[in-house]
Every structure is written in C-alpha cells, then in structure tokens.
Amino acid sequence: MSRFSTAGRVSMWNERECDNKEMTMRGGATGRGNKRSRGFSVIELLVALTISATLLTATMAALDAMFKGFQQTTDSASTHVVARIAVNRMLGMVRTGDEFGPIPVDVLDAAQNPLAADYFEYVSARDENGNATEATRIEFRFPGEEALLRTWTPGEEPEPPEFEVTGPGDLWIVLVDLASGEEEEYILLPGVRSAEFTLQYDIGPRLMRATIDLVVEPEVQDDIEVTTGAIPATFRLVASAMPRKSVE
C-alpha cells in the first residue's frame, strides 16, 4: 500500500508538471501569460503630442483672428462716430457763418454756380462795429502736403495732384486773425480719402446751400491688417445745410 501510494503521488506530480509546462507554452504562443501589460512607446507619445500641439495652435489662431476682427470692427465704428461729429460741426459752421468762399466769378453762370471745392471759408467773428476780425477755413490736405485749395465743376473730377498720394489725407481747421494775419490750425478729421464741398450761391453773392461729401477710411492697426488680411472699408458721409441769414 505504501509503495502504491508513493508511486501514485509521483505520477500525479509528473502530470501536473506537464500540464504547467503545456500552459506556459500555450501562453507564450498566444501572447498571453503572466507578463505585465506594457505602456505607450516613445513614438506613440510623440504622435499624441504632435496632434495635441496642432489642435492647440489651430484653436489659438482662430481665437486671435476673432479678437482682431472684433477690434477692427470697434475701430471702424469709432471712426464713424468721430466722422459724424466732424460733419455736424461743419454744418454748424455753415448755419452760423457768413461771407463764404470760394465764390464763382459769375453767380448767374450755370457753368460756374454751383461750384465744388476741397475747402470752404467764412467769416467766423466780428467786432462790436460789425467788422470781420476772424476767418475760418476748412481744407483738405493730402498726407504730408499743404492744401491745394482746388475748385471744379460738380460732377467732374478735380485736377489730380502732381505728387504721389501715399494714403488718406486729413481735414484741417485754420483760424485766421484778419488783423495780424496769424494762423492757428489743427486737424478736424483724419483718414479722409476725399472731400468735396459743393457751394450754391445766389445774387450778392450769398451762399444758399452748402453740401459736404466725405469719403473716410477707418483707422486700423497695422498688425490687425497683416494678421487678418482685412482691407479697411471706406464709408461715405453726405450732408447739407443752409446759412441762417439766407433763410431769413
């Protein structure tokens, strides 16, 4: 009995060893076994980082374009408001001024009256005796140049300047002391592409109506224009007024 039991136990132990070896061989063949699960390789990590960086860059570029577009719209709206204020101020000058210029040679000649100009002037102050003491002139200037003070027939093009135009010009206010001849000037409205003042006179000559026609370009920062590729859109303002003395 003792021999049989010992032999039986040895036989069972040998069978278990064979089974373990067979399971180990199967596990190695099928890729399953007691090996631990492996992590990401270096190549996989680099691919994941590249994809993440690309998505982040695209998101930041989209946000930057949205911000630049918003700032451009804000600048354009601000310029529009400033231009309207300047036009309203000039309309007030027309209503309260007198002795306007430039004046056509013959107000009865339909070819000369009305006339168009890139400036207008008027008497803006008088002393207690009614003598003119100050004149105000609104004039358009190309960038870096003096005023040309041109006149032409409405509906036609003014004489082009002899120099190269490098950008939008400005509207200037010039205050002239008629006693001393001294002038004081400052910018009324920047970013003006063109300015046309149409003056219609009656016999006298007396100004009956003045029409202001401006084309203004919004001021946009250079980095916005380069980044977004946006071209500032110009806008046009047209208004007219009559001097109060002509109405009376």
Side-chain angles (χ1 to χ4, degrees):
M1 294 294 293
S2 175
R3 291 180 180 178
F4 179 79
S5 299
T6 302
R9 286 197 294 270
V10 171
S11 177
M12 292 176 62
W13 183 83
N14 290 333
E15 290 179 357
R16 290 178 180 176
E17 286 293 324
C18 291
D19 292 340
N20 290 337
K21 290 181 179 180
E22 184 177 358
M23 291 179 63
T24 302
M25 293 177 64
R26 289 179 180 178
T30 59
R32 296 176 299 176
N34 296 328
K35 293 183 179 180
R36 296 181 180 180
S37 299
R38 65 185 183 88
F40 293 103
S41 65
V42 175
I43 296 178
E44 291 173 337
L45 289 175
L46 291 176
V47 171
L49 289 175
T50 302
I51 295 175
S52 300
T54 302
L55 293 176
L56 182 60
T57 302
T59 303
M60 294 300 296
L63 291 176
D64 183 69
M66 291 175 59
F67 173 75
K68 299 293 186 181
F70 171 78
Q71 190 169 359
Q72 179 182 352
T73 303
T74 303
D75 292 341
S76 177
S78 177
T79 304
H80 200 285
V81 172
V82 172
R84 284 184 173 274
I85 293 175
V87 169
N88 287 332
R89 184 174 181 181
M90 287 185 285
L91 293 177
M93 295 176 182
V94 172
R95 295 188 181 101
T96 58
D98 65 334
E99 296 189 22
F100 287 85
I103 302 173
V105 177
D106 185 1
V107 296
L108 298 179
D109 186 357
Q112 302 181 34
N113 186 27
L115 64 79
D118 58 3
Y119 75 101
F120 73 92
E121 55 190 359
Y122 64 98
V123 173
S124 53
R126 296 180 181 273
D127 59 18
E128 56 185 9
N129 297 322
N131 299 319
T133 59
E134 182 187 72
T136 299
R137 183 171 64 250
I138 305 296
E139 59 187 31
F140 171 74
R141 299 181 186 178
F142 289 101
E145 303 291 340
E146 294 295 328
L148 298 180
L149 304 180
R150 301 171 296 176
T151 60
W152 63 91
T153 303
E156 298 182 359
E157 293 294 328
E159 182 180 354
E162 298 179 354
F163 48 83
E164 182 181 359
V165 179
T166 58
D170 306 307
L171 275 185
W172 287 74
I173 291 183
V174 182
L175 304 177
V176 182
D177 188 329
L178 298 179
S180 63
E182 296 181 355
E183 296 185 355
E184 179 183 356
E185 59 183 29
Y186 55 91
I187 295 178
L188 173 63
L189 179 64
V192 179
R193 277 292 179 183
S194 65
E196 180 175 333
F197 305 103
T198 304
L199 308 176
Q200 183 178 1
Y201 289 91
D202 195 1
I203 297 175
R206 182 177 62 175
L207 181 68
M208 295 299 297
R209 179 178 295 276
T211 301
I212 302 170
D213 189 347
L214 303 179
V215 177
V216 183
E217 179 178 302
E219 183 178 359
V220 179
Q221 299 178 9
D222 294 337
D223 59 341
I224 295 178
E225 185 174 352
V226 171
T227 303
T228 63
I231 300 176
T234 59
F235 59 89
R236 184 181 181 186
L237 294 176
V238 180
S240 63
M242 300 174 62
R244 292 175 181 173
K245 291 186 177 182
S246 66
V247 176
E248 296 174 356

